[in-house]
Amino acid sequence: MTVTPEQAEKFADEWVEAWNAHDLDRILSHYEDDFEMSSPVIVRIMGEPSGTLKGKPQVAAYWRKALANAPDLRFEKLHVLRGANSVTIIYRGHRGLSAEVFLFAKTGRVAAAFAHYERSQ
């Protein structure tokens, strides 16, 4: 799937809006059922030393805990970068400057995501 500039912006807007609404079902709707999520925060919140979770049930449990720990969570989209089949969203959140890289499957949903934070604690 080649991501157009319009698709990248639309995805980024929808993703940020879903997180800002704290709507877990809406957030998860962007992802494949068996997607992988990697984040340094997974180590702390889920006790998974690899920092990677696979599948919606595992990631949903992680995000549910993360949302409960940050009831005032809000993201401010700063910039969107696109690759051939990926998008990177640079945003400001409660962990400071952050970036997430999303690798898309042929379905148009995310197959893998990688979170990067200025501060992970």
Side-chain angles (χ1 to χ4, degrees):
M1 169 188 166
T2 301
V3 180
T4 67
E6 295 80 17
Q7 289 169 323
E9 286 294 334
K10 181 179 179 198
F11 172 80
D13 289 342
E14 289 175 358
W15 185 84
V16 167
E17 288 170 12
W19 275 102
N20 286 346
H22 294 213
D23 186 336
L24 188 55
D25 289 334
R26 192 168 153 204
I27 295 165
L28 288 167
S29 73
H30 296 104
Y31 300 85
E32 292 287 320
D33 289 341
D34 64 346
F35 84 101
E36 286 190 14
M37 177 70 210
S38 296
S39 168
V41 181
I42 288 171
V43 176
R44 183 174 52 81
I45 291 181
M46 299 302 285
E48 171 53 53
S50 70
T52 299
L53 298 172
K54 185 171 176 108
K56 280 188 179 179
Q58 282 194 348
V59 178
Y62 160 56
W63 285 341
R64 195 172 291 110
K65 285 183 179 181
L67 286 168
N69 290 339
D72 296 331
L73 177 119
R74 180 150 183 81
F75 296 158
E76 173 193 1
K77 181 181 81 170
L78 300 176
H79 200 68
V80 178
L81 306 171
R82 70 183 180 93
N85 62 347
S86 62
V87 169
T88 299
I89 302 173
I90 300 169
Y91 62 97
R92 189 169 317 285
H94 69 292
R95 297 187 191 291
L97 186 63
S98 304
E100 277 199 48
V101 179
F102 304 89
L103 178 64
F104 289 91
K106 291 180 182 178
T107 61
R109 288 191 301 275
V110 177
F114 310 89
H116 303 79
Y117 306 108
E118 186 174 47
R119 301 185 300 267
S120 61
Q121 298 302 321

